[in-house]
Amino acid sequence: MQLIEKIDKIVEQSSPLTIHNILKFLEEHYNIKILYAVESGSRAYGFNTPDSDYDIKFIYSKPLEQYISLSEPLQSIDLFDSSRTYDFLGYDIKKAMKLYSKSDPTIYEMSQSPVKYVDTEMFQRDKFSLRKLCNHYRGMLHSNFKKYKVEKMTQSDRKHYLYMIRAYLQGNYIANKGLFPPVDIRQLLKTTDKDKLILFTNKLLNQELLSMGEMSILNAIFSVYLDDDVFRFKVREISDEEFRSETNYFNDKLKYYVFEKYPASDIRWLI
């Protein structure tokens, strides 16, 4: 039986524990231990609809011998059910720690997801770089605005603009407050005083489309923000004093999550 067919059988049971059951199946199928698993995408960001799919990201470890082998362990697992209702993307712990050490935005957003299926309190916020995150969100808005900017909105444009608004709010949050931003768009809306932006976002969250006049205003907000030299100055001024990129910290994290699966007697010679 194909892997997707096996996942489909779990989905067909329609259990409230479907995601947990699939994660358990993946542990058995790949001989891994899932250390951390969260919802990402629209269900974590606060603009999902009843028919939104589930985007689950997770971090796993493999048996110890695979980390002391000449061949690299499986670095990622990417799979889904046949209806694409459930999408799973997993990172090996070694790859995840490398990304964490570089303040990778995907890892940051995993650490801040409000929906956790497996939580081992793996991350510390002060190990991420605010400056890198701020530049990422601004860059995300820039690339999406260039790719998806329209004057007349259709239903397919609505979600693109929600992602752009979220990136705009997160970049502003970091630049103006010097703090780590939430990932949920409704929480982010509480941090802005731009009434028009709040109005437009709430309309989009209610699955309404914006008029051409409203689109003109929203596009202008993004354009001014992306061309703002003051914002660029604020980003350069963001202190990274709290950002600690010591190699030992991430190496210790890696050792802890790889070794914790095994009795001390089995790993004493490696420590």
Side-chain angles (χ1 to χ4, degrees):
M1 185 182 294
Q2 295 291 326
L3 180 58
I4 290 179
E5 292 176 347
K6 292 179 180 179
I7 294 175
D8 284 344
K9 281 191 171 295
I10 299 174
V11 173
E12 286 170 7
Q13 296 172 5
S14 300
S15 165
L17 297 175
T18 294
I19 291 172
H20 291 88
N21 290 339
I22 294 175
L23 291 172
K24 184 178 179 181
F25 165 75
L26 294 179
E27 285 190 317
E28 296 171 354
H29 180 82
Y30 287 103
N31 190 23
I32 60 175
K33 180 178 182 181
I34 292 179
L35 307 167
Y36 191 80
V38 299
E39 189 68 44
S40 65
S42 62
R43 289 184 180 273
Y45 303 157
F47 44 81
N48 57 294
T49 60
D51 59 349
S52 292
D53 61 0
Y54 293 85
D55 292 307
I56 298 95
K57 287 189 172 69
F58 61 95
I59 296 170
Y60 61 88
S61 64
K62 297 282 284 182
L64 181 59
E65 60 267 19
Q66 295 198 26
Y67 294 100
I68 55 175
S69 167
L70 291 177
S71 59
E72 285 286 332
L74 184 65
Q75 293 196 21
S76 62
I77 296 172
D78 188 0
L79 71 160
F80 43 83
D81 68 314
S82 58
S83 68
R84 297 301 295 256
T85 301
Y86 297 92
D87 281 341
F88 288 82
L89 176 60
Y91 299 109
D92 172 71
I93 183 64
K94 189 173 183 180
K95 179 176 182 177
M97 286 300 108
K98 285 181 179 178
L99 293 173
Y100 183 18
S101 71
K102 297 175 182 178
S103 286
D104 181 82
T106 297
I107 299 297
Y108 172 75
E109 299 224 330
M110 287 178 68
S111 76
Q112 299 303 302
S113 173
V115 184
K116 293 181 171 64
Y117 302 110
V118 179
D119 187 8
T120 51
E121 299 183 355
M122 183 176 287
F123 304 104
Q124 290 180 222
R125 283 203 303 187
D126 65 359
K127 300 300 179 182
F128 292 97
S129 164
L130 277 172
R131 187 180 301 158
K132 287 184 178 181
L133 291 173
C134 193
N135 282 324
H136 163 75
Y137 290 121
R138 188 174 182 278
M140 178 189 291
L141 173 58
H142 181 270
S143 60
N144 285 346
F145 190 52
K146 185 176 180 180
K147 185 175 182 179
Y148 297 117
K149 177 186 176 184
V150 294
E151 295 180 1
K152 184 176 181 180
M153 177 175 278
T154 64
Q155 192 60 239
S156 62
D157 301 314
R158 187 184 66 84
K159 198 168 185 178
H160 293 148
Y161 268 81
L162 282 171
Y163 273 100
M164 284 189 266
I165 291 169
R166 194 180 78 99
Y168 168 86
L169 291 170
Q170 287 178 299
N172 264 313
Y173 188 95
I174 297 172
N176 294 324
K177 295 179 179 291
L179 299 172
F180 291 96
V183 298
D184 187 292
I185 196 169
R186 297 178 193 275
Q187 293 182 36
L188 287 163
L189 275 182
K190 297 175 183 178
T191 68
T192 183
D193 58 0
K194 292 186 179 298
D195 294 337
K196 291 287 188 183
L197 183 65
I198 295 171
L199 174 65
F200 299 160
T201 306
N202 282 324
K203 287 186 70 172
L204 294 175
L205 289 172
N206 289 327
Q207 302 188 57
E208 300 176 42
L209 300 182
L210 302 185
S211 68
M212 290 183 68
E214 290 170 329
M215 287 299 297
S216 177
I217 295 171
L218 183 55
N219 286 334
I221 290 173
F222 291 157
S223 294
V224 169
Y225 168 76
L226 291 171
D227 293 334
D228 188 359
D229 288 332
V230 174
F231 178 84
R232 293 192 185 97
F233 176 78
K234 285 182 178 179
V235 174
R236 288 196 297 269
E237 290 296 300
I238 293 174
S239 172
D240 264 357
E241 289 181 4
E242 295 299 316
F243 174 51
R244 301 288 183 264
S245 60
E246 305 101 332
T247 302
N248 285 344
Y249 170 82
F250 298 104
N251 279 337
D252 289 345
K253 276 279 187 181
L254 175 61
K255 290 176 184 177
Y256 173 76
Y257 283 107
V258 170
F259 291 164
E260 73 162 359
K261 185 176 179 181
Y262 299 89
S265 59
D266 293 341
I267 63 172
R268 191 174 298 135
W269 64 278
L270 287 169
I271 298 177

